[in-house]
Amino acid sequence: MKKYEFILKNLDCAACANEIQEKLSKNSKLYNVNVNFAKLKLTYETNEVTVDEVEKAVKEQEPEVEMIEIDKSKNEEEKSKIGTQIIRLLIGIMLAGIGLYTKLPLEISTILIISGYVVLLYRTTKNALKMLFASKKINENFLITISCIGAYFVGEHLEGLMVIILYEIGKILEEKSINKSRKSIKDLMNIKPEYANLKIGNKIEQVKPEDVQIGNIIVVKQGEKVPLDGKVIKGKAELNTSSLTGESKLAQVEEGKQVLSGSIVADGMIEIEVSEKYEQSTVNRILELVENATDKKAKTETFVNKASSIYTPIVVGFAAIIAIFLPIFTSIPYVGDNGSIYRALIFLVISCPCSIAISVPLSYFSGIGKSSKEGILIKGSDYIDAIKNIREIVFDKTGTLTKGEFDIKKIETYADYDENEVLKYAAIGENYSNHPIARSIIKKYSHDIKNENIEDFAEIAGKGISYKYQDKIIFVGNSELVGTENSNKNDFDMTKIYVKINDILAGAILLGDEIKEGTTETIRKLNNLGIKTSMFTGDNKEIAEKIGKEIGIQNIKSEMLPQDKYNEIEKLINNYSNIGNKGAKVAFVGDGINDSPVLARADVGISMGGIGSESAIEASDVVIMTDNISKIIKAIEISKKTCKIIKQNLIFSISVKLIILLLSTIGIGGIWQAVFADVGVTIITIFNTLRILK
Ligand code: ADP
Ligand code: MG
């Protein structure tokens, strides 16, 4: 199926975004329809529906919205309609002002006042009616329209005009601040390379990164972004990788080193042999991940959208009750500036949910943007919520807590094989595995094994590998795989990999791993935050205990196969919900080499240094770009801050509304104060949200 992406120009309310999404989703030939209000983006997949048909459906819902292709949208987006809005506002104020404050004949001043109303109310009323007829729903525009018209008929001209003037000013300011936050989020993720310097013979040509092929040579000069992944074949440079990893330290690269797209050459100049097409490159994968992340809406977000569509009709009903029944049961009259109709109108204005509908999605978006800047990719707003509620983190050992770069400490030989042979048979097979142990063994065996022909290679997760080579059946792996017991008490603190050839133990390779820098510190901080830490490993008990104790992990489980890890995680999750702690989340942190099922099963699956491993990215919810586990603390901080700001905004909006409501019930404050409060609250919440990005 083909994926389509468009920018929705002139989309100016979060609720309308939802309406469009709902409407398009009803078409069974459109799949994965999503409208992202924060980014004004529409995405869907289809084979049958034409763009024109989709555009027609969008226009039916929101006539002003235009669908623009992503590439062309760049310039269009900047040109907003704020200018015309300001002009309309001024004309309206002038007409109504002359009508109200000059001594013209009554008929003329009435006409002037009414035309002032019409000019000012035009957009709001049009939006209200559109919503009412297109989806039988009432929204804030509707509330404002009836408040104004109501005020006019009860004779409160100034009040009515103030409502719409303030509302329009508010809309303009709101649009300005939303544009600003969209821009700062965009700047944050400004890692997309614009061009590549392709080297053809002796000439250098500037081309689009998308047009460069694998094997092409590109040149990257000082100050430029590395546009594609590849290997340095000439030159030396210092790379700034901060936009990928959040690390500010410069990395030195020289001939033979891998470089990732998205980093910036701070000093020097390099020639790179491209190893991936742009679509598969690191930059593009990060951008796609972040894009898709904000499309998956968090529960709070959809809750707010859902709630507001039930909420508004209830509010209107309530206002009607106030207007009709108050005079029957009290001495309050129907009309007049303290009458029941006027009070009902105030009530309507106060109940506008705009500040909430705008600030909640914007907050999640900012949280995800901020984390990606730190080198932490969070795959959906749901996980921002979940991370804050993590009660237990389970770590994989190899490659997560330890470096996963094994040193070969010793090679034991049995039967008639010598050390070199043991290493050779291990290396030939391990060449096909991605496990950290495999990589370390290949590194040690320096002979060329690329062209060795092997058959029936199999990887037995959590145990080792098996393969056939020159008619020999060979196993390389732990004691369980080869069916032996390790009785040598002296080497318990090393990982022992046996090599078995045709049912005979040929030898064993003893490997030592090191604890990663900063691990102990991170575990301590997590424990201080009240988060329980556990380690699940496939390695033997002695090593597990030794390493676990050294870094201060609270709970250690060893000799586990990937499926054991899966079952244990499942048990943990169930335990928490059984003891009535349903909100408590369990996270699993792994390198994703053979832990994909566990990563997927955990409430929050976190993979490390994982941009290299496709399956880890697929299975995990959070990808940490570096090998640095302290990023987990950072992720927790960002998620806490985001949720705190959402909460602040909710509490602030609701309390201001309640206070105004209270004041208006006891007769203090009128409609336009209520509008002022609503607009003010919306803008303050947007600014508060921007603090997440700091
Ligand atoms: P961890 O849980 O520490 O990440 P794994 O589940 O990846 O460990 O592996 C557990 C054990 O299985 C390793 O300690 C090693 O003994 C053995 N093993 C796994 N894969 C391989 C391999 N490719 N070659 C040799 N041994 C392996
Ligand atoms: Mg592992």
Side-chain angles (χ1 to χ4, degrees):
M1 216 170 325
K2 203 172 161 216
K3 192 172 168 186
Y4 293 84
E5 290 186 335
F6 291 95
I7 290 289
L8 296 179
K9 195 184 157 197
N10 297 344
L11 177 67
D12 53 10
C13 74
C16 322
N18 252 33
E19 297 290 333
I20 294 179
Q21 176 166 340
E22 259 169 50
K23 172 151 186 154
L24 293 180
S25 302
K26 281 192 194 125
N27 186 337
S28 60
K29 287 173 190 154
L30 293 176
Y31 300 88
N32 297 327
V33 176
N34 192 292
V35 178
N36 185 320
F37 176 61
K39 288 189 295 178
L40 297 179
K41 202 165 130 187
L42 162 71
T43 49
Y44 61 86
E45 288 168 28
T46 188
N47 274 337
E48 300 159 71
V49 188
T50 65
V51 174
D52 283 346
E53 284 173 90
V54 175
E55 184 153 22
K56 203 173 139 236
V58 171
K59 289 255 186 211
E60 263 169 38
Q61 189 70 35
E62 292 289 326
E64 279 184 21
V65 168
E66 273 174 55
M67 277 170 55
I68 301 169
E69 274 174 53
I70 294 281
D71 279 350
K72 293 185 192 153
S73 69
K74 242 191 188 150
N75 307 319
E76 297 268 347
E77 214 179 327
E78 313 298 327
K79 284 188 238 146
S80 92
K81 45 179 186 169
I82 290 183
T84 41
Q85 273 172 40
I86 296 177
I87 293 171
R88 198 164 50 79
L89 181 68
L90 293 177
I91 294 177
I93 292 177
M94 228 169 59
L95 287 173
I98 297 172
L100 276 179
Y101 295 108
T102 53
K103 300 218 167 2
L104 291 168
L106 187 67
E107 296 81 24
I108 299 185
S109 64
T110 311
I111 290 174
L112 282 173
I113 294 174
I114 292 180
S115 15
Y117 263 107
V118 172
V119 172
L120 290 167
L121 263 175
Y122 169 72
R123 177 170 80 148
T124 311
T125 309
K126 196 181 72 186
N127 285 342
L129 293 177
K130 211 167 60 195
M131 190 69 143
L132 190 66
F133 290 118
S135 50
K136 315 245 165 347
K137 277 189 188 146
I138 37 194
N139 61 3
E140 60 180 74
N141 294 306
F142 186 82
L143 297 182
I144 296 292
T145 306
I146 43 174
S147 305
C148 284
I149 297 178
Y152 179 82
F153 283 111
V154 292
E156 301 288 338
H157 291 319
L158 191 58
E159 296 277 293
L161 286 167
M162 277 311 255
V163 168
I164 184 64
I165 291 171
L166 282 174
Y167 183 73
E168 283 291 312
I169 293 178
K171 274 274 155 193
I172 293 170
L173 289 178
E174 191 181 293
E175 208 155 302
K176 276 209 141 163
S177 46
I178 290 183
N179 279 351
K180 183 173 173 249
S181 54
R182 279 201 186 110
K183 191 173 170 312
S184 38
I185 292 166
K186 251 205 227 136
D187 288 348
L188 215 55
M189 290 187 288
N190 186 18
I191 54 173
K192 190 179 158 60
E194 266 91 49
Y195 60 88
N197 302 319
L198 183 63
K199 189 171 173 182
I200 310 165
N202 277 332
K203 275 197 225 119
I204 289 176
E205 200 179 309
Q206 246 184 39
V207 297
K208 276 207 242 158
E210 287 87 339
D211 296 338
V212 178
Q213 307 298 325
I214 295 178
N216 281 169
I217 312 289
I218 53 170
V219 180
V220 191
K221 290 172 277 190
Q222 191 164 336
E224 288 181 329
K225 275 180 214 146
V226 176
L228 295 128
D229 297 349
K231 199 169 85 180
V232 179
I233 52 163
K234 201 170 155 192
K236 246 194 250 174
E238 291 200 335
L239 287 188
N240 179 347
T241 59
S242 66
S243 50
L244 295 177
T245 60
E247 306 280 330
S248 54
K249 226 169 61 195
L250 293 179
Q252 307 274 354
V253 291
E254 61 205 14
E255 250 179 75
K257 282 266 167 73
Q258 290 297 128
V259 284
L260 296 183
S261 48
S263 28
I264 295 168
V265 175
D267 192 17
M269 178 166 136
I270 43 177
E271 283 183 19
I272 298 169
E273 185 185 313
V274 174
S275 64
E276 301 280 355
K277 291 274 288 176
Y278 180 72
E279 292 84 71
Q280 264 79 48
S281 70
T282 307
V283 178
N284 193 46
R285 277 202 245 158
I286 295 177
L287 287 171
E288 275 189 357
L289 264 181
V290 178
E291 298 267 288
N292 297 338
T294 47
D295 288 349
K296 279 194 217 153
K297 294 200 171 83
K299 289 199 192 71
T300 335
E301 208 177 316
T302 41
F303 167 76
V304 169
N305 287 329
K306 275 227 176 68
S308 69
S309 67
I310 321 170
Y311 172 85
T312 323
I314 293 180
V315 166
V316 174
F318 213 76
I321 293 175
I322 296 180
I324 300 168
F325 293 104
L326 218 53
I328 301 181
F329 297 107
T330 64
S331 60
I332 295 171
Y334 278 106
V335 286
D337 65 0
N338 237 331
S340 68
I341 295 179
Y342 187 65
R343 288 181 191 220
L345 295 176
I346 299 180
F347 178 80
L348 281 183
V349 174
I350 296 168
S351 48
C352 269
C354 350
S355 55
I356 298 171
I358 290 175
S359 73
V360 172
L362 203 60
S363 301
Y364 282 114
F365 190 57
S366 307
I368 289 174
K370 170 72 180 170
S371 350
S372 65
K373 180 81 184 164
E374 293 281 347
I376 308 159
L377 304 180
I378 300 181
K379 291 218 285 194
S381 2
D382 266 351
Y383 301 112
I384 296 256
D385 280 342
I387 291 171
K388 157 189 92 168
N389 294 325
I390 292 175
R391 286 290 152 272
E392 177 156 356
I393 302 188
V394 179
F395 292 90
D396 181 36
K397 180 185 68 87
T398 316
T400 305
L401 294 172
T402 65
K403 287 187 178 157
E405 290 160 14
F406 292 84
D407 259 349
I408 297 190
K409 301 276 184 201
K410 201 164 82 180
I411 299 176
E412 286 175 4
T413 55
Y414 319 127
D416 281 339
Y417 294 93
D418 64 25
E419 285 190 11
N420 196 46
E421 278 170 310
V422 170
L423 195 58
K424 177 181 155 194
Y425 284 110
I428 288 174
E430 295 287 20
N431 200 21
Y432 293 82
S433 164
N434 238 339
H435 199 275
I437 292 181
R439 276 180 272 144
S440 310
I441 290 178
I442 303 161
K443 209 165 156 193
K444 176 79 181 186
Y445 188 74
S446 44
H447 301 265
D448 190 17
I449 42 174
K450 262 192 209 132
N451 300 323
E452 298 293 350
N453 256 331
I454 73 163
E455 287 168 72
D456 301 338
F457 175 85
E459 180 136 28
I460 304 105
K463 290 186 178 175
I465 55 163
S466 69
Y467 68 100
K468 231 166 111 182
Y469 172 69
Q470 295 176 348
D471 281 337
K472 296 186 192 70
I473 295 173
I474 298 162
F475 286 88
V476 185
N478 59 12
S479 55
E480 220 176 302
L481 181 81
V482 297
T484 179
E485 282 276 317
N486 183 13
S487 51
N488 191 349
K489 293 264 183 288
N490 294 327
D491 54 32
F492 270 157
D493 59 347
M494 282 183 271
T495 300
K496 196 166 184 176
I497 301 299
Y498 293 89
V499 179
K500 188 165 153 182
I501 303 167
N502 278 341
D503 262 343
I504 294 163
L505 272 188
I509 302 170
L510 288 128
L511 305 136
D513 197 0
E514 262 176 77
I515 294 170
K516 264 190 215 164
E517 274 161 52
T519 301
T520 318
E521 168 114 359
T522 303
I523 299 294
R524 204 192 59 232
K525 281 190 185 154
L526 287 173
N527 290 342
N528 286 345
L529 285 171
I531 295 170
K532 192 173 166 199
T533 50
S534 303
M535 177 171 101
F536 288 1
T537 175
D539 220 342
N540 74 50
K541 190 158 174 238
E542 286 75 15
I543 304 178
E545 302 253 305
K546 181 176 168 266
I547 290 182
K549 287 230 173 68
E550 205 173 320
I551 55 183
I553 226 153
Q554 289 163 324
N555 175 30
I556 301 161
K557 285 205 158 80
S558 53
E559 290 166 36
M560 298 176 94
L561 296 177
Q563 59 265 38
D564 301 331
K565 294 185 188 175
Y566 182 96
N567 293 333
E568 274 303 309
I569 286 278
E570 185 143 77
K571 240 197 255 165
L572 271 179
I573 294 173
N574 290 336
N575 274 350
Y576 276 105
S577 63
N578 283 343
I579 55 171
N581 213 341
K582 279 212 161 55
K585 301 288 180 206
V586 178
F588 179 82
V589 190
D591 55 7
I593 301 279
N594 54 22
D595 296 329
S596 300
V598 205
L599 281 170
R601 181 63 190 94
D603 293 323
V604 184
I606 305 175
S607 64
M608 307 267 318
I611 205 70
S613 153
E614 199 90 38
S615 70
I617 297 175
E618 285 282 311
S620 54
D621 309 313
V622 177
V623 182
I624 293 180
M625 302 289 294
T626 49
D627 260 345
N628 188 348
I629 74 164
S630 70
K631 292 279 179 184
I632 295 171
I633 310 259
K634 193 84 215 171
I636 294 175
E637 280 168 10
I638 293 174
S639 115
K640 279 190 175 160
K641 188 168 178 188
T642 306
C643 293
K644 195 171 102 191
I645 284 179
I646 291 176
K647 212 166 165 187
Q648 281 170 356
N649 285 345
L650 287 178
I651 293 177
F652 177 61
S653 312
I654 294 169
S655 352
V656 171
K657 281 177 197 296
L658 286 179
I659 293 171
I660 304 271
L661 195 62
L662 203 76
L663 289 178
S664 70
T665 350
I666 56 172
I668 306 173
I671 300 184
W672 69 265
Q673 283 91 339
V675 178
F676 192 67
D678 189 61
V679 170
V681 167
T682 307
I683 290 168
I684 292 172
T685 50
I686 292 175
F687 277 114
N688 193 29
T689 303
L690 288 181
R691 288 197 304 131
I692 298 173
L693 299 174
K694 293 242 169 71

